């Protein structure tokens, strides 16, 4: 069974440029998460989707970040414009059914963003 | 509110010796607790989880952790370290029945040959 797929794995951009990250969750997983992981820190949740609905986006900086999951399967996270402080690893995770106490989140390898 | 504190940012042990990675938690609710491992350039992988059943939890690759409510701790142990255990380990808490995870800052485990 394929795991969570993310692309690109690495991205280097100039500040003020836009950037987008793509995630394809495990087949059949209804819940999708985007996390931000700064260097030397643990991941922090940015947004959670149940199917195509964003049910928790309280930590998403909405002035420059946006996300979509139009068909309830794959998802795109966008930053426009990027700032130097956005350099980090962006992780995508999926789970079968968010909310269950024994639900496991499966993580992708992440996209490492460097903003110059 | 919930949080975890990983007491060591870096632990080094010799191959074949025991591993102890320390974690203390704070939670307003009965928590679920997890340990995840992150190898370089790979995704986070669940090692084990506690969800109010047995307080001693066994995970993959010989790891186990014990939930101690009186000490608000959930330390990760392994009797004998292997070179392949070198990685970053994260202690994670969530309110019971809620999938929102709060990660610690991580402990980097180095195995000395």
């Amino acid at each position: 069974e394929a795991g969570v797929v993310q692309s690109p794995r690495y991205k280097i951009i100039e500040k003020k440029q836009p950037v987008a990250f793509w995630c394809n969750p495990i087949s059949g997983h209804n819940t999708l998460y985007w996390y931000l992981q700064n260097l030397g820190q643990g991941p922090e949740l940015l947004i959670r989707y149940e199917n195509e609905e964003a049910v928790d986006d309280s930590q998403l900086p909405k002035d420059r970040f946006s996300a979509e999951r139009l068909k309830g399967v794959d998802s795109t996270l966008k930053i426009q414009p990027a700032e130097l402080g956005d350099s980090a690893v962006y992780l995508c995770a999926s789970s079968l059914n968010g909310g269950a106490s024994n639900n496991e989140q499966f993580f992708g390898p992440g996209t490492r963003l460097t903003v110059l | 509110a919930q949080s975890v504190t990983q007491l060591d940012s870096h632990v080094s042990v010799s191959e074949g010796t025991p591993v102890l990675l320390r974690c203390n938690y704070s939670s307003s609710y009965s928590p679920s607790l997890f340990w995840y491992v992150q190898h370089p350039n790979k995704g986070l992988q669940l090692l084990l989880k506690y969800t109010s059943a047995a307080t001693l939890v066994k995970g993959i690759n010989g790891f186990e952790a014990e939930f101690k409510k009186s000490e608000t701790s959930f330390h990760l142990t392994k009797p004998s370290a292997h070179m392949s255990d070198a990685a970053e380990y994260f202690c994670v808490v969530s309110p019971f029945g809620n999938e929102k995870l709060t990660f610690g800052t991580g402990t980097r485990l180095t195995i000395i040959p």
Side-chain angles (χ1 to χ4, degrees):
Chain A
E1 177 182 287
V4 176
V5 178
Q6 291 187 248
S7 68
R9 292 294 311 278
Y10 303 91
K11 188 74 176 179
I12 300 174
I13 60 171
E14 300 276 339
K15 64 181 180 181
K16 300 185 182 180
Q17 294 299 306
V19 64
F21 314 124
W22 177 80
C23 172
N24 193 32
I26 293 173
S27 178
H29 280 196
N30 297 323
T31 308
L32 184 145
Y33 312 78
W34 283 103
Y35 288 86
L36 165 68
Q37 185 175 18
N38 286 304
L39 186 65
Q41 300 294 319
E44 300 174 14
L45 181 69
L46 288 173
I47 189 169
R48 174 169 66 93
Y49 282 93
E50 295 288 347
N51 298 302
E52 65 275 9
E53 182 182 0
V55 296
D56 184 356
D57 62 356
S58 58
Q59 301 302 311
L60 188 72
K62 299 181 183 64
D63 56 337
R64 297 185 299 109
F65 286 67
S66 64
E68 60 183 15
R69 193 186 184 200
L70 293 176
K71 296 183 179 180
V73 181
D74 58 344
S75 175
T76 302
L77 178 69
K78 298 178 181 178
I79 308 175
Q80 182 170 9
E83 297 179 352
L84 295 176
D86 296 330
S87 295
V89 176
Y90 293 81
L91 297 169
C92 181
S94 70
S95 65
L96 187 61
N97 184 15
S101 61
N102 59 352
N103 202 34
E104 179 179 349
Q105 294 185 26
F106 294 83
F107 285 80
T111 297
R112 182 177 297 276
L113 173 67
T114 301
V115 182
L116 302 176
Chain B
Q2 55 188 14
S3 65
V4 288
T5 301
Q6 293 187 242
L7 300 171
D8 307 290
S9 60
H10 191 193
V11 170
S12 294
V13 301
S14 297
E15 189 177 16
T17 65
V19 175
L20 170 64
L21 305 183
R22 299 181 295 165
C23 173
N24 288 116
Y25 71 90
S26 174
S27 178
S28 302
Y29 308 93
S30 297
S32 295
L33 291 158
F34 311 78
W35 277 97
Y36 277 82
V37 61
Q38 188 174 38
H39 288 93
N41 299 315
K42 292 190 177 181
L44 285 155
Q45 181 183 19
L46 181 65
L47 275 179
L48 51 80
K49 60 184 176 183
Y50 165 78
T51 55
S52 78
T55 56
L56 183 62
V57 182
K58 295 186 182 299
I60 61 172
N61 300 334
F63 285 94
E64 63 180 38
E66 186 172 7
F67 173 72
K68 292 187 176 181
K69 187 175 181 179
S70 61
E71 299 176 9
T72 62
S73 69
F74 190 60
H75 301 334
L76 182 70
T77 60
K78 182 174 181 177
S80 177
H82 190 272
M83 293 302 295
S84 61
D85 295 329
E88 188 89 15
Y89 290 79
F90 292 94
C91 183
V92 183
V93 65
S94 74
F96 185 75
N98 186 320
E99 74 291 348
K100 185 165 187 175
L101 305 180
T102 300
F103 285 76
T105 53
T107 298
R108 180 169 299 276
L109 177 63
T110 299
I111 310 298
I112 303 167

